[in-house]
């Protein structure tokens, strides 16, 4: 079962408010970097086009989830659609028709179904999708049937409320996210409000009974905001938006700027705050309540090792259980910097990361709400790029990279964009370099289990060959013309790296007071030339060529 969560319109208000509130914990610690790419959608383009990669468009995607075949499902919030992305990036619409009308709830097959701002989505143990239909105040199920998808309503109606009961007799008030446990129970974050935070919300449980669903409230009080840990309704929530459940039945909730745990104890549910502080915002990594979040909008659990992943508006964070503590680190993004850049660690940017999901290879998928894209993060990154360098003709050179992440990794080095045969290790040895070895080198690193590829930056290798000056010549226009080429008869690799200096006499002491010629170099029949117009009336001049 794969679960994830989403954003609502109120995220706009939070981003503005967070600038005005006192913000604590602005520090940022060392990254454990993931490399993020744009998997589907095009930044800043809202639409409902299907297609591959950037040819597909979304309109403020909210929730994301992944099935056992690593297909990604998206609650495309402002389009009112449920979308599917195959592992190769092909986007299709599997349920719904474009709709932003509140209160239009309709079951049916494929496009016959209607949603109103679907927010959270998860995949249950049998491959069904469970959707929190935000503005319809309902929990929906989308069942695969051959090549079709059949939508039905499990609980709730278009009327708002906080009423426990069976099926449509139960009422929700803007359900925001859903999670499913191993027994098929559904947990719902019922947010109470579309816009304003701090109005008090509840965590609901839907228990299957034959063909019915029994809805109960396990924690929190509707309309009573708070940050109180406690048991059942004595616990209070401030602004929860995301929910996941682990293999032991413990429920985790993203409540504003904190992660809270709801532990079953007999027939009771005990709420504790395990990371962050509900109303103290920031981006600080740390342990337990010392850590700070801006907004835990998305929450996902790796059920193999118990780690939590957090979509924190402009950051992607990890909350790892270490002994009895929860340790928060940052995987990607820049604190309070909004953007759409791809890259590793703090080179990546997000613009309202509000949901996160995890596939079977450890890759993360993020719904980037305001960019209207789905981002994909690989659990490895190039931490030390191949370095540009100069090497003297005939010497040995080694280019290399170092990585963060767990292998195995496959390497392929390229020279000038062309793969080098047999160069498939982390290091690239170049022995007795010649002029022909000068150029651009890069390496593509592939996760052997996933076929995900991270490309390095280009490194420039300049093979340095001593330049030889030919005797200066006086041109017909009276200019002193210098001509030179490398000792092996070739043209220097990079003219921009050359500097010609001159002086009227050789120094008797320290080698100082050389002057640079500022006129440009040009090529004549494979020979570099430069003119010195400063020699008029001077008896002699001395020159040298420097390659930087």
């Amino acid at each position: 079962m794969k679960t994830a969560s989403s954003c609502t319109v109120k995220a706009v208000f939070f981003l503005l408010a967070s600038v005005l509130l006192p913000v604590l914990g602005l520090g940022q610690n060392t990254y454990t970097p993931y490399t993020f790419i744009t998997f589907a959608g095009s930044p800043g383009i809202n639409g409902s086009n299907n297609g591959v990669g950037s040819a597909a468009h979304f309109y403020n995607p909210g929730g994301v989830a992944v099935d056992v075949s690593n297909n990604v499902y998206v609650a495309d919030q402002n389009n009112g659609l449920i979308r599917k992305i195959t592992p190769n990036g092909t986007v299709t619409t599997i349920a719904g028709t474009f709709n932003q009308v509140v209160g239009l709830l309709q079951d049916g097959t494929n496009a016959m179904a209607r949603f109103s701002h679907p927010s959270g989505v998860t995949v249950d143990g049998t491959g069904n999708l469970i959707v929190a239909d935000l503005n319809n105040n309902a929990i929906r199920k989308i069942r695969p049937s051959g090549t079709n998808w059949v939508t039905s309503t499990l609980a709730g109606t278009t009327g708002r409320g906080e009423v426990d009961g069976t099926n449509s007799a139960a009422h929700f008030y803007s359900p925001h996210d859903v999670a499913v446990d191993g027994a098929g129970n559904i947990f719902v974050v019922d947010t109470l409000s579309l816009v304003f935070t701090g109005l008090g919300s509840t965590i609901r449980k839907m228990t299957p009974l034959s063909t019915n669903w029994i809805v109960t409230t396990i924690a929190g009080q509707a309309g009573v905001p708070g940050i109180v840990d406690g048991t059942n309704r004595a616990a209070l929530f401030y602004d929860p938006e995301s929910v996941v459940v682990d293999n032991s039945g413990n429920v985790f909730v993203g409540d504003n700027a904190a992660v809270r745990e709801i532990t079953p104890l007999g027939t009771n549910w005990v709420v504790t705050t395990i990371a962050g502080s509900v109303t103290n915002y920031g981006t600080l990594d740390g342990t337990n309540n010392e850590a700070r979040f801006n907004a835990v909008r998305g929450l996902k659990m790796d059920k193999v090792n118990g780690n939590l992943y957090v979509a924190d508006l402009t950051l992607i964070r990890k909350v790892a259980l270490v002994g009895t503590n929860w340790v928060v680190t940052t995987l990607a993004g820049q604190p309070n910097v909004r953007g759409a850049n791809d890259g590793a660690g703090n080179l990546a940017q997000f613009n309202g990361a509000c949901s996160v999901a995890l596939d079977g290879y450890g890759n993360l998928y993020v719904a980037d709400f305001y960019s209207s894209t789905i981002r994909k993060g690989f659990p490895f990154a190039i931490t030390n790029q191949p370095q540009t360098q100069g090497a003297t003709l005939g010497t040995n050179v080694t280019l290399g990279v170092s990585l963060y992440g767990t292998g195995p990794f496959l390497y392929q080095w390229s020279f000038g964009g062309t793969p080098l045969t047999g160069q498939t290790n982390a290091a690239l040895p170049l022995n007795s370099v010649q002029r022909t070895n000068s150029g651009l080198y890069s390496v593509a690193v592939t996760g052997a289990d996933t076929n995900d590829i991270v490309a390095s930056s280009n490194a420039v290798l300049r093979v340095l060959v001593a330049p030889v000056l030919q005797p200066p010549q006086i041109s017909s226009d009276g200019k002193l013309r210098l001509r030179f080429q490398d000792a092996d008869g070739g043209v220097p690799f990079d003219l921009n790296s050359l500097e010609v200096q001159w002086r009227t006499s050789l120094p008797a002491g320290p080698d100082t007071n050389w002057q640079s010629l500022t006129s440009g170099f040009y090529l004549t029949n494979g020979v570099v030339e430069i003119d010195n117009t400063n020699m008029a009336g001077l008896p002699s001049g001395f020159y040298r060529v420097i390659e930087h």
Side-chain angles (χ1 to χ4, degrees):
M1 293 173 289
K2 313 282 184 177
T3 307
S5 57
S6 51
C7 284
T8 65
V9 179
K10 62 185 172 185
V12 177
F13 292 84
F14 175 82
L15 286 171
L16 296 176
S18 66
V19 177
L20 304 176
L21 291 170
V23 178
L24 303 177
L26 287 177
Q28 186 59 50
N29 295 8
T30 302
Y31 282 72
T32 50
Y34 272 51
T35 299
F36 274 87
I37 63 169
T38 300
F39 185 51
S42 186
I45 298 179
N46 297 324
S48 59
N49 295 355
N50 291 322
V52 179
S54 61
H57 294 155
F58 300 87
Y59 192 172
N60 298 141
V64 287
V66 183
D67 68 14
V68 294
S69 299
N70 298 316
N71 297 300
V72 179
Y73 298 91
V74 181
D76 196 0
Q77 196 169 110
N78 279 358
N79 275 326
L81 304 174
I82 307 301
R83 318 287 290 279
K84 176 183 177 181
I85 313 175
T86 62
N88 72 352
T90 300
V91 179
T92 56
T93 299
I94 62 171
T97 298
F98 176 78
N99 170 42
Q100 291 183 305
V101 179
V102 176
L104 182 57
L105 186 153
Q106 179 174 304
D107 292 339
T109 300
N110 303 334
M112 295 299 296
R114 295 291 185 274
F115 301 86
S116 185
H117 288 81
S119 179
V121 60
T122 187
V123 183
D124 71 14
T126 57
N128 301 307
L129 306 184
I130 307 298
V131 176
D133 197 358
L134 186 80
N135 282 359
N136 276 328
N137 307 296
I139 307 302
R140 318 286 293 279
K141 179 171 110 174
I142 307 175
R143 174 178 58 86
S145 177
T147 59
N148 296 314
W149 294 83
V150 180
T151 299
S152 59
T153 301
L154 302 182
T157 66
T158 55
R160 292 172 175 166
E162 288 283 347
V163 179
D164 289 342
T166 302
N167 301 337
S168 60
H171 287 183
F172 296 91
Y173 202 126
S174 304
H176 193 276
D177 194 25
V178 285
V180 181
D181 68 13
N185 300 300
I186 301 172
F187 295 87
V188 182
V189 168
D190 208 7
T191 59
L192 184 66
S193 171
L194 285 175
V195 177
F196 300 105
T197 62
L199 293 180
S201 303
T202 56
I203 310 302
R204 319 283 293 276
K205 179 182 179 183
M206 295 173 53
T207 305
L209 181 62
S210 184
T211 59
N212 296 313
W213 290 88
I214 312 299
V215 179
T216 57
T217 301
I218 64 172
Q221 297 182 43
V224 183
I227 54 176
V228 179
D229 289 341
T231 302
N232 302 335
R233 287 181 177 266
L236 298 178
F237 294 87
Y238 185 78
D239 179 27
E241 284 208 18
S242 50
V243 61
V244 293
V245 58
D246 69 13
N247 291 328
S248 300
N250 301 301
V251 179
F252 297 84
V253 175
D255 187 10
N256 205 41
V259 179
R260 306 178 74 181
E261 182 177 7
I262 310 175
T263 304
L265 185 62
T267 58
N268 295 314
W269 296 85
V270 180
V271 178
T272 56
T273 302
I274 63 171
S277 177
V278 174
T279 55
N280 291 314
Y281 308 102
T283 59
L284 181 66
D285 291 343
T287 301
N288 302 333
N289 305 121
E290 296 173 353
R292 292 289 180 266
F293 300 92
N294 268 331
V296 184
R297 287 294 184 249
L299 198 61
K300 170 63 188 174
M301 171 161 278
D302 180 350
K303 295 187 178 181
V304 175
N305 54 36
N307 294 326
L308 292 163
Y309 295 90
V310 175
D312 188 12
L313 294 183
T314 65
L315 299 173
I316 305 301
R317 320 285 293 277
K318 178 180 178 181
V319 186
L321 183 61
V322 180
T324 59
N325 295 314
W326 293 90
V327 179
V328 179
T329 56
T330 299
L331 304 181
Q334 299 177 26
N336 303 310
V337 176
R338 297 167 60 175
N341 290 352
D342 292 337
N346 62 358
L347 298 179
Q349 294 176 342
F350 300 90
N351 190 5
C354 65
S355 179
V356 61
L358 185 72
D359 71 14
Y361 297 111
N363 298 315
L364 295 175
Y365 299 85
V366 174
D368 206 3
F369 190 78
Y370 294 108
S371 291
S372 289
T373 57
I374 306 301
R375 313 287 291 279
K376 181 178 181 180
F378 313 139
F380 62 96
I382 297 175
T383 53
N384 289 302
Q385 299 283 348
Q387 296 298 300
T388 290
Q389 55 190 290
T392 303
L393 184 73
T395 60
N396 298 333
V397 176
T398 299
L399 300 174
V401 292
S402 56
L403 298 176
Y404 160 80
T406 303
F409 298 116
L410 305 177
Y411 301 85
Q412 177 59 64
W413 286 89
S414 294
F415 174 53
T418 301
L420 292 170
T421 303
Q423 299 300 336
T424 56
N425 296 312
L428 172 64
L430 299 171
N431 297 323
S432 187
V433 293
Q434 302 300 307
R435 171 185 294 276
T436 54
N437 294 122
S438 295
L440 299 177
Y441 291 83
S442 63
V443 62
V445 182
T446 304
D449 295 332
T450 66
N451 291 322
D452 295 319
I453 300 175
V454 174
S456 76
S457 59
N458 285 320
V460 179
L461 175 64
R462 297 194 352 251
V463 177
L464 306 178
V465 183
V468 175
L469 276 169
Q470 297 180 7
Q473 299 175 350
I474 301 297
S475 63
S476 59
D477 56 5
K479 297 178 182 177
L480 180 68
R481 180 157 297 149
L482 305 173
R483 308 178 78 242
F484 61 92
Q485 57 190 163
D486 283 346
D488 63 356
V491 176
F493 170 68
D494 182 6
L495 296 183
N496 292 324
S497 69
L498 297 179
E499 180 184 5
V500 176
Q501 298 178 340
W502 75 286
R503 55 183 297 144
T504 56
S505 61
L506 288 176
D511 196 13
T512 59
N513 297 322
W514 288 87
Q515 301 178 55
S516 293
L517 290 179
T518 57
S519 56
F521 301 104
Y522 53 93
L523 292 176
T524 302
N525 297 323
V527 178
V528 183
E529 297 186 350
I530 186 171
D531 295 329
N532 186 0
T533 60
N534 302 311
M535 286 295 295
L538 295 177
S540 63
F542 298 88
Y543 298 86
R544 66 183 183 182
V545 180
I546 298 175
E547 187 168 8
H548 295 285

